[in-house]
Amino acid sequence: MELPVFASLVLVIAGVWSLVVWPQFLRRVMKDPRARDSAGKATRFLTVHVVLVSISMVLGAATAAIGIMAMAG
């Protein structure tokens, strides 16, 4: 894969950013009173955010990996 070094670095930084920021966001969501109902069961609010964070982290890891592969190759 041929990418300029700057573009590769942007991909790595964007991927690492996602891997750092989204878990912090999920911690805040899990503490939110809307995350659980009165019985302690996960609400749709929590479920949607867990899916959102999971997808974002997978994409962040893939973005970082593409950037790393572009720098190596």
Side-chain angles (χ1 to χ4, degrees):
M1 181 180 322
E2 296 283 331
L3 280 178
V5 173
F6 178 76
S8 300
L9 283 172
V10 169
L11 289 174
V12 171
I13 291 168
V16 170
W17 175 264
S18 290
L19 295 173
V20 170
V21 170
W22 283 109
Q24 302 301 320
F25 176 76
L26 184 59
R27 283 189 195 101
R28 287 191 305 273
V29 167
M30 292 179 81
K31 292 178 184 176
D32 191 296
R34 297 171 289 178
R36 305 243 175 226
D37 63 16
S38 58
K41 185 177 176 186
T43 62
R44 287 186 186 184
F45 174 84
L46 179 58
T47 303
V48 166
H49 283 87
V50 167
V51 170
L52 172 69
V53 169
S54 299
I55 292 170
S56 295
M57 289 187 65
V58 167
L59 291 173
T63 301
I66 291 167
I68 291 168
M69 289 186 321
M71 281 195 286

